[in-house]
Amino acid sequence: MTLKRLTLGLVLAATSALPLWAQERPAIGVELNSDENRRGLSWSGGRVSPSADIFATQGPFEASGRIVALRESARHGGAGVVGDLSIGASTMFGPVTMRGRVTGHLFGGAGFNADYIELGGSAAYTLGPVQVDVGADYAPSQSAIGGDNLYLHAGAQAGIPGTPWTVLAGVGHSTGKTDDPFRAARLRPGGDYSDWRVGVQHVTGPVTLGLDYVGTDVSEQAASIYPLADARHSGDRIVGRVRFGF
């Protein structure tokens, strides 16, 4: 089965499932980021990026969608927008929540077929105001990303008792097989790399304010030979965000 057929199937499954799951009110939000940053890499060329998202559940099943402005991102061949559509499920094993999902990343305005699919799984443990999680996201070999890509990650967050503040931290590592180094540079500029994040967020009613420091060990010199690596937007930066939930 081709990637386009898989992507179309994912889109149809998600869009057909959401009306059924509307029996449980979905969570909807809009967000503004100073940079659409994922795994320490800018997806919006270091520019401000608005987005909108929806998340719905029915029993153990979950579906979500998010549309994000990419500002003609060099990393994604000049794409102006990406839609992330996921379907999955979660279950509890004692105090541990396990989740699995499949996500289609659909790009609008890219100069090539940039769409790809990713499989993900995670486990989260919550004790009082503290939550820790570990997980992996795997994109099977696809021409759009020049091979396959495995992302391993771990994170923690802790609410400060009696306040609306939460502190967050996380680390990750991206690796994989490379068939086309120019396309692989989209997700792994210059090769395998690690990323990290520390931040704080403040929640008051429907409004969330956040400030994060994100960084990577990507070598700008090694990445600079690949146009899709967007090397100058693959390093340390401060990212601010504001979200309003409905």
Side-chain angles (χ1 to χ4, degrees):
M1 183 178 291
T2 66
L3 175 59
K4 286 186 177 179
R5 289 180 180 176
L6 283 170
T7 301
L8 179 59
L10 177 63
V11 173
L12 291 175
T15 54
S16 63
L18 282 172
L20 295 175
W21 294 359
Q23 299 168 33
E24 296 186 11
R25 186 177 182 275
I28 301 172
V30 292
E31 189 168 320
L32 187 67
N33 287 275
S34 63
D35 176 42
E36 176 61 17
N37 197 282
R38 305 191 189 188
R39 304 176 187 178
L41 307 178
S42 174
W43 277 34
S44 60
R47 289 176 288 181
V48 172
S49 171
S51 65
D53 59 82
I54 182 170
F55 178 80
T57 63
Q58 179 61 52
F61 300 105
E62 305 174 341
S64 66
R66 184 170 183 249
I67 186 165
V68 187
L70 297 187
R71 311 293 302 275
E72 288 72 52
S73 166
R75 184 176 309 284
H76 302 299
V81 65
V82 62
D84 305 306
L85 295 172
S86 296
I87 54 175
S90 65
T91 188
M92 295 285 294
F93 289 97
V96 178
T97 301
M98 305 288 292
R99 282 190 167 86
R101 65 188 176 277
V102 56
T103 302
H105 303 283
L106 313 177
F107 295 82
F112 57 92
N113 179 17
D115 302 347
Y116 68 96
I117 282 182
E118 199 166 38
L119 310 174
S122 64
Y125 174 78
T126 302
L127 179 62
V130 178
Q131 177 179 293
V132 295
D133 62 86
V134 295
D137 296 290
Y138 178 66
S141 184
Q142 298 160 69
S143 61
I145 56 173
D148 65 2
N149 194 83
L150 174 64
Y151 181 62
L152 304 174
H153 57 90
Q157 63 181 52
I160 301 175
T163 78
W165 293 95
T166 300
V167 294
L168 314 95
V171 294
H173 184 74
S174 296
T175 187
K177 180 184 67 175
T178 300
D179 298 325
D180 178 348
F182 288 90
R183 292 286 178 90
R186 290 178 65 191
L187 303 185
R188 288 183 289 117
D192 298 353
Y193 78 98
S194 297
D195 69 276
W196 48 86
R197 169 195 179 207
V198 293
V200 296
Q201 71 178 25
H202 180 283
V203 180
T204 303
V207 179
T208 300
L209 303 175
L211 191 65
D212 300 317
Y213 162 71
V214 296
T216 72
D217 63 359
V218 171
S219 166
E220 184 173 338
Q221 182 176 1
S224 63
I225 63 173
Y226 304 110
L228 297 182
D230 196 13
R232 68 192 184 94
H233 295 125
S234 299
D236 298 1
R237 64 191 57 225
I238 300 293
V239 179
R241 52 192 164 84
V242 55
R243 185 178 190 278
F244 186 87
F246 300 93

